[in-house]
Amino acid sequence: MDRNDKCWCGSGLKYKKCHMDFDDKIKEYAMNGHIVPDRFNIKTPREIEAIKESAKVNTGVLDHLEGKILAGMSTEDINKLVHDYTVSHDAIPAPLNYEGFPKSCCTSINNEVCHGIPSEDIILKDGDIINVDVSTIKNGYFSDASRMFMVGQVSEEAKNLVEVTKECLNVGLEQVKPWGHIGDIGAAIQEYAESRGYSVVTMFGGHGIGNEFHEEPFVSHVGRRDTGMLMVPGMVFTIEPMINAGKPQVFVDKKNGWTSYTKDGSLSAQWEHQVLVTEDGYEIISA
């Protein structure tokens, strides 16, 4: 791009007055051996605003579920709440028919790690913990987040796992800053989880999102500091640690091809936020 051309970000400014120094800085990091994002993974201001509009619906879905998840209801009841809220806000549930997934959200209970499929036959019981993972498409842009819900009176073991998993998410968020590395997130989460006596699932992780459901980078929840892709302003991705009370190994249900379980039958929990890397840190897009 010529320095006097209009900038690729859509600002209307000349490139030299807008993103030229930014792009030069990324090139310098790349020349020094760092993994850097493609321009596709750096969102323009217009794209960021569109992603935020999608995220308003996505967060609204999760807020809508608060206080409604009770013992005796089916996970299909949750699915219907998610679906109806989403479409009533002129949006589309992103999981529905995604690579054959049959429902509008994921509902993962107790020893289910992720991708639980809602069903009329799965009835919540007092003491269950459940993750509801919702993703939304609005005007072609994607958002994604999940929360844990505790059903009735849960055990101290379950309550502690849910709380520590939320703390793992928070320590991961604290690592998000421009010109840091994705590996910083996983390193912090792994250190904290293991210090509390828990393990981190490695089969799944967070991901870039916005123009597509799943984009680069892959955000591992284990790792080493100063490794992985460079984080730069304009990147949007999820952080979604899955923390097990027992060992980290998981397996996927062969019958439905989706639901993942802890191999040792221990409890698992997950929280997920979608974040934007800003000039001085991060902004939570959906939670």
Side-chain angles (χ1 to χ4, degrees), residues 20-38 42 177-182 184 226-233 235 279:
M20 191 173 78
D21 289 345
F22 174 87
D23 286 349
D24 286 345
K25 188 171 183 178
I26 292 176
K27 289 176 185 175
E28 184 177 351
Y29 271 98
M31 287 171 54
N32 288 322
H34 297 267
I35 302 169
V36 300
D38 291 335
I42 303 169
K177 54 184 178 293
W179 316 112
H181 293 83
I182 288 289
D184 300 344
D226 301 319
T227 64
M229 186 178 287
L230 193 72
M231 293 183 282
V232 305
M235 289 176 66
E279 294 290 343

Side-chain angles (χ1 to χ4, degrees), residues 260-279:
S260 175
Y261 297 84
T262 57
K263 196 168 185 179
D264 60 9
S266 63
L267 292 174
S268 186
Q270 178 192 18
W271 291 86
E272 176 183 10
H273 284 0
Q274 181 179 1
V275 299
L276 164 70
V277 183
T278 64
E279 294 290 343

Side-chain angles (χ1 to χ4, degrees), residues 70-75 77 109 119-125 128:
L70 304 169
M73 73 188 301
S74 71
T75 52
D77 292 331
I109 304 171
S119 169
E120 292 178 353
D121 299 326
I122 301 174
I123 308 300
L124 296 179
K125 305 183 300 296
D128 284 342

Side-chain angles (χ1 to χ4, degrees), residues 69 75 78 107-109 124 128-132 147-149:
I69 296 180
T75 52
I78 298 172
T107 51
S108 305
I109 304 171
L124 296 179
D128 284 342
I129 58 173
I130 179 171
N131 176 269
V132 182
R147 295 182 194 174
M148 292 298 299
F149 297 87

Side-chain angles (χ1 to χ4, degrees), residues 191-233:
E191 289 166 11
Y192 186 78
E194 292 178 354
S195 76
R196 298 296 302 272
Y198 297 97
S199 65
V200 184
V201 173
T202 59
M203 181 180 287
F204 305 102
H207 53 91
I209 182 172
N211 301 71
E212 297 177 359
F213 199 168
H214 294 92
E215 304 172 358
E216 292 294 328
F218 175 75
V219 182
S220 177
H221 302 119
V222 300
R224 294 183 295 111
R225 296 181 187 278
D226 301 319
T227 64
M229 186 178 287
L230 193 72
M231 293 183 282
V232 305

